[in-house]
Amino acid sequence: MMRRFILLSLWLLSDLALFIASYALAYFAKVGWIFSSDLPIGDFLGVVAAVSPVWLLALITTRTFGLTRSQGTVRNAAYIAYACVVGAALVALAYYFVYAQVFSRLILLTGLVVSAVALWLWHLVFERVARTVLSSNPPAYPTLVIGVTRES
């Protein structure tokens, strides 16, 4: 029971960190490795961090965080892409309404693509890690054989 809780908590927190890091990478890919006065990094990442829990809620509603769910399916990739589109829309709207400014659509598009690809790859890696941890001794989901009694 505790292993599942710890794995799920780490998965959720790592997805939040990866979402924020994706938009930070998109910022530096567009602006360069300097800090722009037109689009301050603190303001931008503050908005990204503020909308990230709502984005995570959108990702949770797609049921991508099932520990026994296959993360390599096309449907799961589509769910992650959908949540990343929602995240990009939230970032754009929040930044506009907080600072009354429009910023680069290229940063937004880059953040969307980087976050979708990075999250899907991370989910593939985390699936392997979770299955290894959950199947270690004693297994969290032991095999049930139908038709066999304990006496046999």
Side-chain angles (χ1 to χ4, degrees), residues 76-110:
N76 203 56
Y79 286 157
I80 291 171
Y82 159 76
C84 288
V85 167
V86 170
L90 288 170
V91 168
L93 287 171
Y95 193 85
Y96 176 75
F97 283 114
V98 170
Y99 297 107
Q101 295 180 39
V102 178
F103 63 96
S104 172
R105 292 178 302 240
L106 187 57
I107 292 176
L108 202 59
L109 184 63
T110 306

PDB file of all heavy atoms in Angstrom, residues 76-110:
ATOM      1  N   ASN A  76      -2.808   6.808 -24.698  1.00  0.00           N
ATOM      2  CA  ASN A  76      -2.158   7.479 -23.584  1.00  0.00           C
ATOM      3  C   ASN A  76      -1.347   8.681 -24.060  1.00  0.00           C
ATOM      4  O   ASN A  76      -1.330   9.732 -23.417  1.00  0.00           O
ATOM      5  CB  ASN A  76      -1.273   6.501 -22.812  1.00  0.00           C
ATOM      6  CG  ASN A  76      -1.036   6.950 -21.410  1.00  0.00           C
ATOM      7  OD1 ASN A  76      -1.974   7.181 -20.660  1.00  0.00           O
ATOM      8  ND2 ASN A  76       0.220   7.099 -21.056  1.00  0.00           N
ATOM      9  N   ALA A  77      -0.680   8.541 -25.201  1.00  0.00           N
ATOM     10  CA  ALA A  77       0.059   9.673 -25.777  1.00  0.00           C
ATOM     11  C   ALA A  77      -0.906  10.795 -26.148  1.00  0.00           C
ATOM     12  O   ALA A  77      -0.597  11.975 -25.955  1.00  0.00           O
ATOM     13  CB  ALA A  77       0.849   9.216 -26.999  1.00  0.00           C
ATOM     14  N   ALA A  78      -2.077  10.438 -26.651  1.00  0.00           N
ATOM     15  CA  ALA A  78      -3.083  11.455 -26.990  1.00  0.00           C
ATOM     16  C   ALA A  78      -3.608  12.150 -25.735  1.00  0.00           C
ATOM     17  O   ALA A  78      -3.844  13.359 -25.753  1.00  0.00           O
ATOM     18  CB  ALA A  78      -4.238  10.812 -27.756  1.00  0.00           C
ATOM     19  N   TYR A  79      -3.778  11.408 -24.656  1.00  0.00           N
ATOM     20  CA  TYR A  79      -4.212  12.018 -23.393  1.00  0.00           C
ATOM     21  C   TYR A  79      -3.177  13.011 -22.879  1.00  0.00           C
ATOM     22  O   TYR A  79      -3.514  14.094 -22.406  1.00  0.00           O
ATOM     23  CB  TYR A  79      -4.466  10.950 -22.329  1.00  0.00           C
ATOM     24  CG  TYR A  79      -5.723  10.143 -22.518  1.00  0.00           C
ATOM     25  CD1 TYR A  79      -5.834   8.890 -21.950  1.00  0.00           C
ATOM     26  CD2 TYR A  79      -6.796  10.623 -23.256  1.00  0.00           C
ATOM     27  CE1 TYR A  79      -6.981   8.137 -22.105  1.00  0.00           C
ATOM     28  CE2 TYR A  79      -7.935   9.881 -23.420  1.00  0.00           C
ATOM     29  CZ  TYR A  79      -8.038   8.630 -22.833  1.00  0.00           C
ATOM     30  OH  TYR A  79      -9.172   7.898 -22.989  1.00  0.00           O
ATOM     31  N   ILE A  80      -1.919  12.642 -22.973  1.00  0.00           N
ATOM     32  CA  ILE A  80      -0.850  13.533 -22.531  1.00  0.00           C
ATOM     33  C   ILE A  80      -0.793  14.767 -23.425  1.00  0.00           C
ATOM     34  O   ILE A  80      -0.647  15.896 -22.938  1.00  0.00           O
ATOM     35  CB  ILE A  80       0.495  12.778 -22.491  1.00  0.00           C
ATOM     36  CG1 ILE A  80       0.477  11.745 -21.363  1.00  0.00           C
ATOM     37  CG2 ILE A  80       1.659  13.734 -22.328  1.00  0.00           C
ATOM     38  CD1 ILE A  80       1.655  10.804 -21.346  1.00  0.00           C
ATOM     39  N   ALA A  81      -0.940  14.571 -24.738  1.00  0.00           N
ATOM     40  CA  ALA A  81      -0.943  15.709 -25.659  1.00  0.00           C
ATOM     41  C   ALA A  81      -2.123  16.638 -25.376  1.00  0.00           C
ATOM     42  O   ALA A  81      -1.975  17.865 -25.385  1.00  0.00           O
ATOM     43  CB  ALA A  81      -0.991  15.211 -27.097  1.00  0.00           C
ATOM     44  N   TYR A  82      -3.285  16.056 -25.090  1.00  0.00           N
ATOM     45  CA  TYR A  82      -4.463  16.865 -24.751  1.00  0.00           C
ATOM     46  C   TYR A  82      -4.200  17.708 -23.505  1.00  0.00           C
ATOM     47  O   TYR A  82      -4.493  18.906 -23.474  1.00  0.00           O
ATOM     48  CB  TYR A  82      -5.678  15.953 -24.535  1.00  0.00           C
ATOM     49  CG  TYR A  82      -6.770  16.583 -23.728  1.00  0.00           C
ATOM     50  CD1 TYR A  82      -7.614  17.539 -24.284  1.00  0.00           C
ATOM     51  CD2 TYR A  82      -6.959  16.238 -22.393  1.00  0.00           C
ATOM     52  CE1 TYR A  82      -8.619  18.129 -23.531  1.00  0.00           C
ATOM     53  CE2 TYR A  82      -7.949  16.814 -21.638  1.00  0.00           C
ATOM     54  CZ  TYR A  82      -8.780  17.760 -22.213  1.00  0.00           C
ATOM     55  OH  TYR A  82      -9.760  18.338 -21.461  1.00  0.00           O
ATOM     56  N   ALA A  83      -3.650  17.088 -22.475  1.00  0.00           N
ATOM     57  CA  ALA A  83      -3.374  17.820 -21.238  1.00  0.00           C
ATOM     58  C   ALA A  83      -2.337  18.917 -21.480  1.00  0.00           C
ATOM     59  O   ALA A  83      -2.425  19.996 -20.884  1.00  0.00           O
ATOM     60  CB  ALA A  83      -2.900  16.865 -20.149  1.00  0.00           C
ATOM     61  N   CYS A  84      -1.377  18.676 -22.347  1.00  0.00           N
ATOM     62  CA  CYS A  84      -0.367  19.700 -22.643  1.00  0.00           C
ATOM     63  C   CYS A  84      -0.962  20.868 -23.434  1.00  0.00           C
ATOM     64  O   CYS A  84      -0.550  22.011 -23.251  1.00  0.00           O
ATOM     65  CB  CYS A  84       0.816  19.080 -23.378  1.00  0.00           C
ATOM     66  SG  CYS A  84       1.807  18.038 -22.286  1.00  0.00           S
ATOM     67  N   VAL A  85      -1.944  20.593 -24.293  1.00  0.00           N
ATOM     68  CA  VAL A  85      -2.649  21.676 -24.988  1.00  0.00           C
ATOM     69  C   VAL A  85      -3.423  22.513 -23.979  1.00  0.00           C
ATOM     70  O   VAL A  85      -3.420  23.749 -24.033  1.00  0.00           O
ATOM     71  CB  VAL A  85      -3.576  21.110 -26.087  1.00  0.00           C
ATOM     72  CG1 VAL A  85      -4.532  22.166 -26.606  1.00  0.00           C
ATOM     73  CG2 VAL A  85      -2.755  20.534 -27.229  1.00  0.00           C
ATOM     74  N   VAL A  86      -4.083  21.840 -23.033  1.00  0.00           N
ATOM     75  CA  VAL A  86      -4.786  22.559 -21.958  1.00  0.00           C
ATOM     76  C   VAL A  86      -3.791  23.402 -21.160  1.00  0.00           C
ATOM     77  O   VAL A  86      -4.058  24.559 -20.828  1.00  0.00           O
ATOM     78  CB  VAL A  86      -5.545  21.576 -21.045  1.00  0.00           C
ATOM     79  CG1 VAL A  86      -6.063  22.262 -19.797  1.00  0.00           C
ATOM     80  CG2 VAL A  86      -6.687  20.924 -21.796  1.00  0.00           C
ATOM     81  N   GLY A  87      -2.620  22.834 -20.872  1.00  0.00           N
ATOM     82  CA  GLY A  87      -1.599  23.567 -20.129  1.00  0.00           C
ATOM     83  C   GLY A  87      -1.109  24.799 -20.883  1.00  0.00           C
ATOM     84  O   GLY A  87      -0.925  25.866 -20.286  1.00  0.00           O
ATOM     85  N   ALA A  88      -0.910  24.673 -22.176  1.00  0.00           N
ATOM     86  CA  ALA A  88      -0.468  25.820 -22.978  1.00  0.00           C
ATOM     87  C   ALA A  88      -1.540  26.910 -22.992  1.00  0.00           C
ATOM     88  O   ALA A  88      -1.226  28.102 -22.884  1.00  0.00           O
ATOM     89  CB  ALA A  88      -0.137  25.376 -24.402  1.00  0.00           C
ATOM     90  N   ALA A  89      -2.792  26.500 -23.107  1.00  0.00           N
ATOM     91  CA  ALA A  89      -3.880  27.483 -23.078  1.00  0.00           C
ATOM     92  C   ALA A  89      -3.955  28.174 -21.725  1.00  0.00           C
ATOM     93  O   ALA A  89      -4.155  29.398 -21.641  1.00  0.00           O
ATOM     94  CB  ALA A  89      -5.205  26.799 -23.396  1.00  0.00           C
ATOM     95  N   LEU A  90      -3.765  27.429 -20.661  1.00  0.00           N
ATOM     96  CA  LEU A  90      -3.783  28.021 -19.319  1.00  0.00           C
ATOM     97  C   LEU A  90      -2.639  29.011 -19.127  1.00  0.00           C
ATOM     98  O   LEU A  90      -2.823  30.081 -18.539  1.00  0.00           O
ATOM     99  CB  LEU A  90      -3.717  26.924 -18.252  1.00  0.00           C
ATOM    100  CG  LEU A  90      -4.967  26.074 -18.077  1.00  0.00           C
ATOM    101  CD1 LEU A  90      -4.670  24.891 -17.165  1.00  0.00           C
ATOM    102  CD2 LEU A  90      -6.102  26.902 -17.522  1.00  0.00           C
ATOM    103  N   VAL A  91      -1.462  28.670 -19.622  1.00  0.00           N
ATOM    104  CA  VAL A  91      -0.309  29.570 -19.499  1.00  0.00           C
ATOM    105  C   VAL A  91      -0.579  30.864 -20.261  1.00  0.00           C
ATOM    106  O   VAL A  91      -0.346  31.966 -19.743  1.00  0.00           O
ATOM    107  CB  VAL A  91       0.987  28.880 -19.998  1.00  0.00           C
ATOM    108  CG1 VAL A  91       2.118  29.883 -20.151  1.00  0.00           C
ATOM    109  CG2 VAL A  91       1.393  27.766 -19.048  1.00  0.00           C
ATOM    110  N   ALA A  92      -1.077  30.744 -21.488  1.00  0.00           N
ATOM    111  CA  ALA A  92      -1.335  31.935 -22.295  1.00  0.00           C
ATOM    112  C   ALA A  92      -2.394  32.824 -21.652  1.00  0.00           C
ATOM    113  O   ALA A  92      -2.219  34.043 -21.550  1.00  0.00           O
ATOM    114  CB  ALA A  92      -1.773  31.526 -23.697  1.00  0.00           C
ATOM    115  N   LEU A  93      -3.485  32.218 -21.209  1.00  0.00           N
ATOM    116  CA  LEU A  93      -4.554  33.005 -20.594  1.00  0.00           C
ATOM    117  C   LEU A  93      -4.119  33.632 -19.279  1.00  0.00           C
ATOM    118  O   LEU A  93      -4.406  34.802 -19.016  1.00  0.00           O
ATOM    119  CB  LEU A  93      -5.791  32.129 -20.378  1.00  0.00           C
ATOM    120  CG  LEU A  93      -6.568  31.774 -21.639  1.00  0.00           C
ATOM    121  CD1 LEU A  93      -7.634  30.741 -21.319  1.00  0.00           C
ATOM    122  CD2 LEU A  93      -7.171  33.016 -22.252  1.00  0.00           C
ATOM    123  N   ALA A  94      -3.450  32.858 -18.457  1.00  0.00           N
ATOM    124  CA  ALA A  94      -3.020  33.385 -17.153  1.00  0.00           C
ATOM    125  C   ALA A  94      -2.026  34.518 -17.321  1.00  0.00           C
ATOM    126  O   ALA A  94      -2.124  35.543 -16.631  1.00  0.00           O
ATOM    127  CB  ALA A  94      -2.423  32.266 -16.307  1.00  0.00           C
ATOM    128  N   TYR A  95      -1.072  34.367 -18.229  1.00  0.00           N
ATOM    129  CA  TYR A  95      -0.094  35.437 -18.428  1.00  0.00           C
ATOM    130  C   TYR A  95      -0.771  36.695 -18.952  1.00  0.00           C
ATOM    131  O   TYR A  95      -0.469  37.811 -18.517  1.00  0.00           O
ATOM    132  CB  TYR A  95       1.023  35.000 -19.383  1.00  0.00           C
ATOM    133  CG  TYR A  95       2.192  35.945 -19.352  1.00  0.00           C
ATOM    134  CD1 TYR A  95       3.190  35.796 -18.395  1.00  0.00           C
ATOM    135  CD2 TYR A  95       2.289  37.013 -20.232  1.00  0.00           C
ATOM    136  CE1 TYR A  95       4.259  36.675 -18.338  1.00  0.00           C
ATOM    137  CE2 TYR A  95       3.346  37.893 -20.186  1.00  0.00           C
ATOM    138  CZ  TYR A  95       4.331  37.720 -19.231  1.00  0.00           C
ATOM    139  OH  TYR A  95       5.376  38.589 -19.161  1.00  0.00           O
ATOM    140  N   TYR A  96      -1.701  36.523 -19.866  1.00  0.00           N
ATOM    141  CA  TYR A  96      -2.386  37.685 -20.430  1.00  0.00           C
ATOM    142  C   TYR A  96      -3.205  38.405 -19.363  1.00  0.00           C
ATOM    143  O   TYR A  96      -3.181  39.627 -19.265  1.00  0.00           O
ATOM    144  CB  TYR A  96      -3.291  37.271 -21.587  1.00  0.00           C
ATOM    145  CG  TYR A  96      -4.080  38.431 -22.138  1.00  0.00           C
ATOM    146  CD1 TYR A  96      -3.466  39.386 -22.941  1.00  0.00           C
ATOM    147  CD2 TYR A  96      -5.420  38.596 -21.824  1.00  0.00           C
ATOM    148  CE1 TYR A  96      -4.171  40.470 -23.431  1.00  0.00           C
ATOM    149  CE2 TYR A  96      -6.134  39.671 -22.308  1.00  0.00           C
ATOM    150  CZ  TYR A  96      -5.514  40.604 -23.099  1.00  0.00           C
ATOM    151  OH  TYR A  96      -6.207  41.667 -23.579  1.00  0.00           O
ATOM    152  N   PHE A  97      -3.930  37.650 -18.539  1.00  0.00           N
ATOM    153  CA  PHE A  97      -4.792  38.293 -17.555  1.00  0.00           C
ATOM    154  C   PHE A  97      -4.028  38.834 -16.347  1.00  0.00           C
ATOM    155  O   PHE A  97      -4.475  39.776 -15.710  1.00  0.00           O
ATOM    156  CB  PHE A  97      -5.902  37.347 -17.107  1.00  0.00           C
ATOM    157  CG  PHE A  97      -6.991  37.222 -18.123  1.00  0.00           C
ATOM    158  CD1 PHE A  97      -7.221  36.025 -18.766  1.00  0.00           C
ATOM    159  CD2 PHE A  97      -7.759  38.322 -18.467  1.00  0.00           C
ATOM    160  CE1 PHE A  97      -8.219  35.916 -19.722  1.00  0.00           C
ATOM    161  CE2 PHE A  97      -8.759  38.223 -19.421  1.00  0.00           C
ATOM    162  CZ  PHE A  97      -8.988  37.017 -20.050  1.00  0.00           C
ATOM    163  N   VAL A  98      -2.885  38.275 -16.049  1.00  0.00           N
ATOM    164  CA  VAL A  98      -2.092  38.781 -14.923  1.00  0.00           C
ATOM    165  C   VAL A  98      -1.288  40.016 -15.331  1.00  0.00           C
ATOM    166  O   VAL A  98      -1.252  41.014 -14.607  1.00  0.00           O
ATOM    167  CB  VAL A  98      -1.162  37.683 -14.365  1.00  0.00           C
ATOM    168  CG1 VAL A  98      -0.174  38.257 -13.365  1.00  0.00           C
ATOM    169  CG2 VAL A  98      -1.984  36.583 -13.709  1.00  0.00           C
ATOM    170  N   TYR A  99      -0.647  39.959 -16.493  1.00  0.00           N
ATOM    171  CA  TYR A  99       0.249  41.043 -16.892  1.00  0.00           C
ATOM    172  C   TYR A  99      -0.294  41.900 -18.038  1.00  0.00           C
ATOM    173  O   TYR A  99       0.365  42.848 -18.449  1.00  0.00           O
ATOM    174  CB  TYR A  99       1.623  40.480 -17.276  1.00  0.00           C
ATOM    175  CG  TYR A  99       2.289  39.815 -16.108  1.00  0.00           C
ATOM    176  CD1 TYR A  99       2.386  38.434 -16.038  1.00  0.00           C
ATOM    177  CD2 TYR A  99       2.783  40.573 -15.050  1.00  0.00           C
ATOM    178  CE1 TYR A  99       2.983  37.823 -14.945  1.00  0.00           C
ATOM    179  CE2 TYR A  99       3.374  39.961 -13.963  1.00  0.00           C
ATOM    180  CZ  TYR A  99       3.460  38.594 -13.915  1.00  0.00           C
ATOM    181  OH  TYR A  99       4.041  37.997 -12.843  1.00  0.00           O
ATOM    182  N   ALA A 100      -1.450  41.585 -18.571  1.00  0.00           N
ATOM    183  CA  ALA A 100      -2.093  42.328 -19.666  1.00  0.00           C
ATOM    184  C   ALA A 100      -1.145  42.507 -20.852  1.00  0.00           C
ATOM    185  O   ALA A 100      -1.112  43.553 -21.482  1.00  0.00           O
ATOM    186  CB  ALA A 100      -2.623  43.672 -19.181  1.00  0.00           C
ATOM    187  N   GLN A 101      -0.357  41.475 -21.101  1.00  0.00           N
ATOM    188  CA  GLN A 101       0.576  41.485 -22.223  1.00  0.00           C
ATOM    189  C   GLN A 101       0.461  40.169 -22.977  1.00  0.00           C
ATOM    190  O   GLN A 101       0.158  39.138 -22.394  1.00  0.00           O
ATOM    191  CB  GLN A 101       2.019  41.603 -21.745  1.00  0.00           C
ATOM    192  CG  GLN A 101       2.372  42.872 -21.051  1.00  0.00           C
ATOM    193  CD  GLN A 101       3.839  42.826 -20.646  1.00  0.00           C
ATOM    194  OE1 GLN A 101       4.671  42.330 -21.376  1.00  0.00           O
ATOM    195  NE2 GLN A 101       4.138  43.353 -19.477  1.00  0.00           N
ATOM    196  N   VAL A 102       0.731  40.233 -24.243  1.00  0.00           N
ATOM    197  CA  VAL A 102       0.816  39.024 -25.052  1.00  0.00           C
ATOM    198  C   VAL A 102       2.297  38.725 -25.228  1.00  0.00           C
ATOM    199  O   VAL A 102       3.093  39.629 -25.453  1.00  0.00           O
ATOM    200  CB  VAL A 102       0.135  39.229 -26.416  1.00  0.00           C
ATOM    201  CG1 VAL A 102       0.268  37.993 -27.275  1.00  0.00           C
ATOM    202  CG2 VAL A 102      -1.321  39.607 -26.228  1.00  0.00           C
ATOM    203  N   PHE A 103       2.667  37.471 -25.093  1.00  0.00           N
ATOM    204  CA  PHE A 103       4.075  37.121 -25.285  1.00  0.00           C
ATOM    205  C   PHE A 103       4.204  36.209 -26.496  1.00  0.00           C
ATOM    206  O   PHE A 103       3.215  35.900 -27.162  1.00  0.00           O
ATOM    207  CB  PHE A 103       4.663  36.479 -24.016  1.00  0.00           C
ATOM    208  CG  PHE A 103       4.018  35.181 -23.631  1.00  0.00           C
ATOM    209  CD1 PHE A 103       4.571  33.985 -24.020  1.00  0.00           C
ATOM    210  CD2 PHE A 103       2.863  35.164 -22.865  1.00  0.00           C
ATOM    211  CE1 PHE A 103       3.994  32.792 -23.669  1.00  0.00           C
ATOM    212  CE2 PHE A 103       2.282  33.974 -22.496  1.00  0.00           C
ATOM    213  CZ  PHE A 103       2.842  32.790 -22.910  1.00  0.00           C
ATOM    214  N   SER A 104       5.375  35.774 -26.777  1.00  0.00           N
ATOM    215  CA  SER A 104       5.690  35.030 -27.987  1.00  0.00           C
ATOM    216  C   SER A 104       4.898  33.724 -28.083  1.00  0.00           C
ATOM    217  O   SER A 104       4.906  32.900 -27.174  1.00  0.00           O
ATOM    218  CB  SER A 104       7.186  34.715 -28.013  1.00  0.00           C
ATOM    219  OG  SER A 104       7.483  33.852 -29.081  1.00  0.00           O
ATOM    220  N   ARG A 105       4.232  33.557 -29.213  1.00  0.00           N
ATOM    221  CA  ARG A 105       3.514  32.300 -29.459  1.00  0.00           C
ATOM    222  C   ARG A 105       4.495  31.167 -29.706  1.00  0.00           C
ATOM    223  O   ARG A 105       4.171  30.006 -29.480  1.00  0.00           O
ATOM    224  CB  ARG A 105       2.579  32.469 -30.650  1.00  0.00           C
ATOM    225  CG  ARG A 105       1.431  33.406 -30.371  1.00  0.00           C
ATOM    226  CD  ARG A 105       0.582  33.565 -31.596  1.00  0.00           C
ATOM    227  NE  ARG A 105       1.395  34.057 -32.711  1.00  0.00           N
ATOM    228  CZ  ARG A 105       1.184  35.185 -33.344  1.00  0.00           C
ATOM    229  NH1 ARG A 105       0.204  35.953 -32.998  1.00  0.00           N
ATOM    230  NH2 ARG A 105       1.960  35.550 -34.341  1.00  0.00           N
ATOM    231  N   LEU A 106       5.694  31.505 -30.142  1.00  0.00           N
ATOM    232  CA  LEU A 106       6.703  30.480 -30.369  1.00  0.00           C
ATOM    233  C   LEU A 106       7.147  29.859 -29.040  1.00  0.00           C
ATOM    234  O   LEU A 106       7.381  28.650 -28.974  1.00  0.00           O
ATOM    235  CB  LEU A 106       7.907  31.070 -31.115  1.00  0.00           C
ATOM    236  CG  LEU A 106       8.964  30.081 -31.570  1.00  0.00           C
ATOM    237  CD1 LEU A 106       8.352  29.018 -32.472  1.00  0.00           C
ATOM    238  CD2 LEU A 106      10.081  30.791 -32.300  1.00  0.00           C
ATOM    239  N   ILE A 107       7.248  30.659 -27.997  1.00  0.00           N
ATOM    240  CA  ILE A 107       7.565  30.108 -26.676  1.00  0.00           C
ATOM    241  C   ILE A 107       6.457  29.159 -26.243  1.00  0.00           C
ATOM    242  O   ILE A 107       6.713  28.070 -25.726  1.00  0.00           O
ATOM    243  CB  ILE A 107       7.744  31.231 -25.634  1.00  0.00           C
ATOM    244  CG1 ILE A 107       8.992  32.050 -25.936  1.00  0.00           C
ATOM    245  CG2 ILE A 107       7.823  30.653 -24.222  1.00  0.00           C
ATOM    246  CD1 ILE A 107       9.192  33.222 -25.016  1.00  0.00           C
ATOM    247  N   LEU A 108       5.232  29.550 -26.473  1.00  0.00           N
ATOM    248  CA  LEU A 108       4.092  28.722 -26.102  1.00  0.00           C
ATOM    249  C   LEU A 108       4.071  27.410 -26.886  1.00  0.00           C
ATOM    250  O   LEU A 108       3.883  26.325 -26.309  1.00  0.00           O
ATOM    251  CB  LEU A 108       2.805  29.511 -26.347  1.00  0.00           C
ATOM    252  CG  LEU A 108       1.573  29.088 -25.603  1.00  0.00           C
ATOM    253  CD1 LEU A 108       1.794  29.165 -24.107  1.00  0.00           C
ATOM    254  CD2 LEU A 108       0.415  29.970 -26.007  1.00  0.00           C
ATOM    255  N   LEU A 109       4.293  27.497 -28.186  1.00  0.00           N
ATOM    256  CA  LEU A 109       4.303  26.302 -29.024  1.00  0.00           C
ATOM    257  C   LEU A 109       5.477  25.386 -28.670  1.00  0.00           C
ATOM    258  O   LEU A 109       5.325  24.162 -28.594  1.00  0.00           O
ATOM    259  CB  LEU A 109       4.365  26.696 -30.499  1.00  0.00           C
ATOM    260  CG  LEU A 109       4.299  25.562 -31.499  1.00  0.00           C
ATOM    261  CD1 LEU A 109       2.967  24.831 -31.387  1.00  0.00           C
ATOM    262  CD2 LEU A 109       4.496  26.082 -32.909  1.00  0.00           C
ATOM    263  N   THR A 110       6.634  25.974 -28.429  1.00  0.00           N
ATOM    264  CA  THR A 110       7.799  25.179 -28.030  1.00  0.00           C
ATOM    265  C   THR A 110       7.558  24.502 -26.686  1.00  0.00           C
ATOM    266  O   THR A 110       7.880  23.329 -26.509  1.00  0.00           O
ATOM    267  CB  THR A 110       9.062  26.056 -27.975  1.00  0.00           C
ATOM    268  OG1 THR A 110       9.222  26.726 -29.219  1.00  0.00           O
ATOM    269  CG2 THR A 110      10.302  25.233 -27.687  1.00  0.00           C
TER     270      THR A 110
END
